[in-house]
């Protein structure tokens, strides 16, 4: 059984990641908060003991993602749009324009980009987490970069 202190420590380390995963699924703030709550409730109920920090983070990402998918199915959502307030206040970022652009990507591209750039996973790790081929993830990252470049250049940004 996981202790209250261990759960609190994991929560503090992983809350931004779990909330970010919920945002990537197109959920609004209230639903994101529910996903955070349910992810850590599931951890408490499961009593999972993690081998290391990478295992802990991966478990949180997969569990939160599965909970998001379940919620989307139960509400019969389509790919909903993220309200700018929710996306921007989630992360303390100096370039909120880039984050808004990332969050405007289609869900199939948004998740790999978020995991690669904001969570620091390699493409093969993302493939394993999302149960996709590594080549698919690399292609999706390339497609997302092209879309982001086009979108940002149309707004007058250069990089």
């Amino acid at each position: 059984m996981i202790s209250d202190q261990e759960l609190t420590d994991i929560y503090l380390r992983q809350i931004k990641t779990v909330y970010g995963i919920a945002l990537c699924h197109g959920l609004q703030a209230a639903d994101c908060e529910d996903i955070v709550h349910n992810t850590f409730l599931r951890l408490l109920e499961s009593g999972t003991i993690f081998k290391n920090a990478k295992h802990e983070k991966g478990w949180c990402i997969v569990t939160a993602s599965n909970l998001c998918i379940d919620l989307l199915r139960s509400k019969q959502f389509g790919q909903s749009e993220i309200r700018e307030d929710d996306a921007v206040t989630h992360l303390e970022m100096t370039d909120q324009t880039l984050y808004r652009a990332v969050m405007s990507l289609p869900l199939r591209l948004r998740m790999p980009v978020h995991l690669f750039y904001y969570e620091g996973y390699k493409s093969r790790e993302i493939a394993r987490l999302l149960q996709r081929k590594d080549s698919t993830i690399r292609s999706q990252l390339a497609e997302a970069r092209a879309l982001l470049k086009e979108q940002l250049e149309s707004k007058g940004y250069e990089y």
Side-chain angles (χ1 to χ4, degrees), residues 102-118:
V102 169
M103 288 309 193
S104 72
L105 292 170
L107 178 59
R108 68 182 183 80
L109 301 177
R110 194 181 316 146
M111 284 294 293
V113 168
H114 180 80
L115 292 172
F116 187 83
Y117 290 105
Y118 295 101

Side-chain angles (χ1 to χ4, degrees), residues 124-155:
R124 69 178 171 279
E125 295 168 321
I126 297 168
R128 191 177 67 251
L129 287 170
L130 300 180
Q131 298 179 343
R132 299 179 191 163
K133 292 180 181 179
D134 186 27
S135 59
T136 300
I137 296 299
R138 287 192 311 272
S139 295
Q140 289 174 332
L141 288 170
E143 181 181 351
R145 284 184 205 107
L147 287 171
L148 288 170
K149 180 179 180 185
E150 181 180 308
Q151 183 178 355
L152 293 172
E153 284 177 348
S154 73
K155 293 181 180 181

Side-chain angles (χ1 to χ4, degrees), residues 4 11 40 44 51 60 72 95-96 110 112 118 129 139:
D4 289 345
Y11 176 86
F40 293 103
L44 183 62
K51 298 177 231 173
C60 289
L72 291 168
D95 190 359
Q96 295 179 354
R110 194 181 316 146
Y118 295 101
L129 287 170
S139 295

Side-chain angles (χ1 to χ4, degrees), residues 57-73:
K57 189 173 191 175
W59 185 94
C60 289
I61 288 170
V62 170
T63 301
S65 187
N66 288 339
L67 288 169
C68 290
I69 291 167
D70 291 346
L71 178 64
L72 291 168
R73 283 182 185 148

